[in-house]
Amino acid sequence: MLSIISHPECRDHDAGPLHPESKARLDAINNQLIMSGMDYVVRHRDAPLVERAQLERVHDSDYLDRVYALAPGQGMQSVEVDGDTVMSPGTLRAAERAAGAGVLGVDLVMSNEANPVFCMIRPPGHHAERDKAMGFCLFNNIAVAAAHALDAHDLSRVAIIDFDVHHGNGTEEIFKTEPRVLFCSSFQHPFYPFTGHEKETDNLVDIPLSAGAGSAEFREAVSAHWLPHLKAFKPEFLFISAGFDAHVADDMSSVQLTDADYEWVTRELKAVADEFADGRIVSMLEGGYEPDVLARSVVKHLNVLLG
């Protein structure tokens, strides 16, 4: 059964009234789940707080000390961690829930209590590097989950697929020398965070997309680059950094994907998971900043995962 992991505290992260990464994103997804009828065929679970040891698998201890020291208490003003990453009084708990969701998702899938799992969380995570917050991200949620699968469940090959319109620089930086992790990313280039370029190694497959690229370019790149590497790697677990900001109706970027593209790529990834990983999938929300389009795209994504 498909399980959705979230927590009310994920709504308490407040980056400011004009910031695109707002609680309205989760509210829109919840509403769309109800309107689509999907809410009645999934199981909802509360995200736990991540443990410090789980964070330290992918983040430097000194960095974590700085984050916890910066976190404002209740009634205090928000603080800037970098130019676009803000911590409000509710941010630290939200980030702990976001990272904890992925850990729980892995445990549920590995114990056959749920599969697949979607982590409906915020703040997102894929820009957070080992010792640096950036791009709205404090903890690298997908990296925490993947490291938990490797270390707590003794897996030897996991794949992370990132179709957010921004390069998953943090995930790549954390795992670039880790042969047990295959990281595949598509992204608009040149574009924030101005990292990444065309790259194919044994464990890194980057697909830069030009501004204006659409369905044909995206699907061709996935078919020609991601899928052969995934099939050769034979992952035992598939993680998805599910960002929906490459949608043509999302003003965050100039890539022009559609609802059908998210259905298609999810179907292709699910086929890989079914063939090599006993269907094991944990998908985690990253970007997507036009709430109605985000909600619709997420439900398309989940419909395919639900089968």
Side-chain angles (χ1 to χ4, degrees):
M1 173 181 283
L2 171 65
S3 285
I4 294 178
I5 302 176
S6 190
H7 198 279
E9 288 186 330
C10 286
R11 300 177 76 257
D12 294 339
H13 167 52
D14 182 4
L18 301 179
H19 202 286
E21 206 293 279
S22 72
K23 64 183 181 181
R25 302 172 68 232
L26 299 190
D27 294 342
I29 296 171
N30 275 320
N31 290 339
Q32 189 69 26
L33 287 170
I34 293 169
M35 288 190 295
S36 69
M38 181 175 287
D39 194 59
Y40 303 102
V41 295
V42 302
R43 183 170 182 181
H44 291 272
R45 298 175 184 263
D46 281 343
L49 296 170
V50 71
E51 298 175 6
R52 173 77 181 226
Q54 293 163 347
L55 292 174
E56 287 184 347
R57 290 184 178 127
V58 301
H59 290 297
D60 288 344
S61 182
D62 288 347
Y63 166 69
L64 296 175
D65 288 343
R66 293 197 301 273
V67 169
Y68 277 83
L70 277 173
Q74 292 302 316
M76 298 175 64
Q77 290 187 341
S78 297
V79 298
E80 283 193 359
V81 183
D82 75 353
D84 55 11
T85 308
V86 176
M87 291 186 75
S88 69
T91 298
L92 182 59
R93 292 279 286 196
E96 289 177 320
R97 297 289 184 188
V103 172
L104 175 60
V106 169
D107 290 341
L108 291 174
V109 170
M110 293 303 298
S111 64
N112 296 313
E113 294 181 60
N115 193 34
V117 166
F118 179 66
C119 299
M120 191 176 72
I121 47 83
R122 55 182 294 271
H126 72 152
H127 292 310
E129 298 183 352
R130 188 171 292 276
D131 61 357
K132 183 179 180 181
M134 61 183 294
F136 314 164
C137 305
L138 283 179
F139 303 142
N140 195 308
N141 307 316
I142 203 83
V144 171
H148 183 69
L150 292 169
D151 294 349
H153 294 281
D154 297 322
L155 297 184
S156 56
R157 295 181 311 281
V158 305
I160 302 173
I161 309 301
D162 187 332
F163 52 70
D164 191 280
V165 81
H166 304 95
H167 180 233
N169 61 291
T171 311
E172 182 166 308
E173 187 262 346
I174 288 168
F175 290 126
K176 63 185 177 182
T177 60
E178 174 51 81
R180 297 177 297 170
V181 178
L182 171 63
F183 179 62
C184 300
S185 178
S186 63
F187 48 93
Q188 183 175 325
H189 183 76
F191 199 45
Y192 183 89
F194 305 102
T195 58
H197 54 276
E198 189 169 351
K199 182 189 297 112
E200 288 190 55
T201 68
D202 287 343
N203 76 316
L204 298 175
V205 184
D206 281 347
I207 302 174
L209 300 172
S210 300
S215 301
E217 294 89 343
F218 175 69
R219 295 189 187 201
E220 180 181 359
V222 169
S223 298
H225 302 280
W226 282 4
L227 297 181
H229 279 271
L230 284 165
K231 292 174 181 179
F233 188 70
K234 299 179 180 178
E236 299 167 301
F237 205 121
L238 201 67
F239 293 90
I240 303 174
S241 268
F244 299 93
D245 41 4
H247 197 286
V248 64
D250 193 315
D251 291 338
M252 181 62 75
S253 78
S254 299
V255 175
Q256 301 182 33
L257 302 189
T258 66
D259 296 18
D261 294 313
Y262 291 118
E263 285 185 301
W264 175 82
V265 73
T266 306
R267 192 173 297 113
E268 294 294 319
L269 297 178
K270 187 175 186 299
V272 171
D274 288 344
E275 182 175 359
F276 299 108
D278 293 327
R280 298 181 186 124
I281 293 176
V282 166
S283 176
M284 303 193 74
L285 181 63
E286 297 284 0
Y289 301 102
E290 202 294 312
D292 291 340
V293 172
L294 168 65
R296 195 176 71 226
S297 299
V298 166
V299 169
K300 297 284 188 183
H301 177 62
L302 296 184
N303 263 316
V304 176
L305 293 183
L306 186 62

